Amino acid sequence: MPVWKSRFKDRDVTDRSVWMNRRTLMAGTAGLLAGAPALASRHAIPNPGYSTDEPPTRFEDITSYNNFYEFGTGKDDPARYASALTTDPWSIEIAGECANPGTHALEDILKGKTIEERIYRFRCVEAWSMVIPWFGFQLSALLDQVVPTSKARYVAFETLYRPEEMIGQRSRTIPWPYVEGLRMDEAMHPLTLMATGIYEEKMPNQNGAPIRLVVPWKYGFKSIKSIVKITLTEEQPPATWNILQPDEYGFYANVNPEVDHPRWSQASHRVVGSGLFARREPTLMLNGYADEVGPLYAGMDLRKNF
Ligand code: MTE
């Protein structure tokens, strides 16, 4: 697994004792969360095999610098407005090319799933990065349950449309609902996570509560938030940024330092939370996961399929 060399200074990262305190606090309040045990921290098993050893970004930075256009286009809009979103009850409709389509309550989806904690580097196309301790379960566990047919070649995702609570949806900044897609083998890859929390806390609303996708080798825009529908399809599904600006945002969205965005370089990125004189680091091919997921793209021209 990728082991990035740690170049972080102490002040860049959450103090370990703060993190440990948060864990202890969560363990102490686990009883209060009895109604939603699968969301509680005590069920998150750390998975070092799928984690980077880089120190994580501070919780406060992860939750205050977000892209979530449903709450506005500013990076601080989601933290300001996302508390209006009701995330309980929540259900996900699963449709399309599978033997068991249907709509399921989130609690039922979480039942029987192994909830793991994985620390992934999260890299945005606008050239910034964070290291985030996510918890969640492998998307493949859910897809296996619905039994895809032989025609299922892609997986399409859709975000909630609820303008009463999502203030950004009252303007036509982008077409609603936000949609994304993965190829089946990408969706089934063990690195692909359905995340339900950060730092062992329930997913903060601004980060895509109550459940969002995390695909660590792709740019952040692939990681669709607040998912209400998953459809297995034969054809490549639409993806919001790809529809809006196809020259700038490809369907694949693989982190690739060799393919520049038309308006900026992708060769390096700014480390969020690294202080006033933000540090830049060189960007790694497939975000450092080339050994694991490189074979998925064997024989493909990654300049064409960007
Ligand atoms: N999902 C929805 N529904 N709406 C969005 O605007 N923005 C994407 C992605 N998922 C977005 C979304 C983009 S551009 C990024 S970089 C990541 O969410 C940001 O995730 P974060 O705020 O948890 O860091």
Side-chain angles (χ1 to χ4, degrees):
M1 301 312 295
V3 179
W4 288 290
K5 207 159 168 255
S6 174
R7 289 175 290 257
F8 283 64
K9 297 193 195 89
D10 285 350
R11 68 180 165 80
D12 298 345
V13 300
T14 295
D15 187 320
R16 285 265 161 190
S17 65
V18 174
W19 189 4
M20 290 315 289
N21 281 342
R22 191 176 271 133
R23 282 173 192 244
T24 315
L25 185 73
M26 288 303 287
T29 54
L32 297 175
L33 296 168
L39 291 172
S41 59
R42 60 206 159 121
H43 290 283
I45 303 164
N47 190 332
Y50 284 126
S51 298
T52 169
D53 66 351
E54 283 180 275
T57 307
R58 292 186 325 142
F59 183 82
E60 293 68 21
D61 288 323
I62 297 171
T63 54
S64 61
Y65 191 82
N66 301 99
N67 273 340
F68 200 173
Y69 277 32
E70 282 81 345
F71 297 104
T73 55
K75 298 275 184 268
D76 51 359
D77 284 338
R80 195 173 300 148
Y81 300 117
S83 60
L85 178 65
T86 313
T87 57
D88 185 14
W90 194 272
S91 56
I92 300 182
E93 181 189 350
I94 304 183
E97 292 293 339
C98 62
N100 302 318
T103 300
H104 304 279
L106 182 58
E107 304 86 84
D108 296 334
I109 289 174
L110 293 175
K111 259 181 217 153
K113 303 276 186 312
T114 306
I115 305 292
E116 297 169 43
E117 179 184 69
R118 297 171 173 204
I119 306 176
Y120 284 161
R121 166 162 288 242
F122 195 69
R123 172 76 181 75
C124 183
V125 78
E126 289 167 295
W128 48 265
S129 79
M130 300 188 194
V131 173
I132 304 183
W134 303 101
F135 69 90
F137 60 88
Q138 285 185 20
L139 173 59
S140 67
L142 179 59
L143 297 179
D144 281 342
Q145 267 182 314
V146 299
V147 191
T149 70
S150 58
K151 283 187 179 167
R153 294 176 55 226
Y154 294 90
V155 184
F157 303 86
E158 199 174 303
T159 293
L160 176 73
Y161 177 70
R162 193 185 285 161
E164 316 87 83
E165 294 182 355
M166 297 174 127
I167 191 175
Q169 287 180 335
R170 296 177 206 166
S171 328
R172 286 171 176 262
T173 39
I174 58 175
W176 311 110
Y178 193 99
V179 290
E180 255 306 338
L182 293 174
R183 214 170 57 191
M184 194 55 145
D185 55 348
E186 298 175 324
M188 292 300 286
H189 195 279
L191 282 168
T192 303
L193 206 66
M194 291 294 275
T196 54
I198 286 175
Y199 271 108
E200 299 206 359
E201 295 191 16
K202 269 168 63 170
M203 187 65 74
N205 280 11
Q206 58 267 42
N207 292 92
I211 185 163
R212 55 91 59 86
L213 184 69
V214 181
V215 195
W217 69 93
K218 292 180 181 274
Y219 291 109
F221 67 90
K222 234 22 199 177
S223 291
I224 180 171
K225 295 172 166 178
S226 305
I227 296 167
V228 289
K229 188 169 180 186
I230 297 176
T231 311
L232 291 97
T233 66
E234 198 170 356
E235 304 298 330
Q236 182 177 296
T240 293
W241 285 102
N242 182 230
I243 303 167
L244 280 170
Q245 283 156 295
D247 298 340
E248 301 195 7
Y249 306 102
F251 174 80
Y252 280 93
N254 287 325
V255 175
N256 190 342
E258 290 158 18
V259 177
D260 283 344
H261 182 280
R263 288 182 279 144
W264 53 75
S265 162
Q266 298 283 10
S268 69
H269 54 265
R270 178 173 62 85
V271 177
V272 170
S274 61
L276 197 57
F277 304 102
R279 197 178 60 254
R280 295 194 74 85
E281 286 183 352
T283 296
L284 301 173
M285 185 58 142
L286 295 167
N287 218 13
Y289 293 93
D291 287 350
E292 289 75 20
V293 295
L296 299 181
Y297 310 104
M300 277 177 73
D301 180 350
L302 297 183
R303 288 187 172 272
K304 259 170 78 186
N305 297 288
F306 61 97

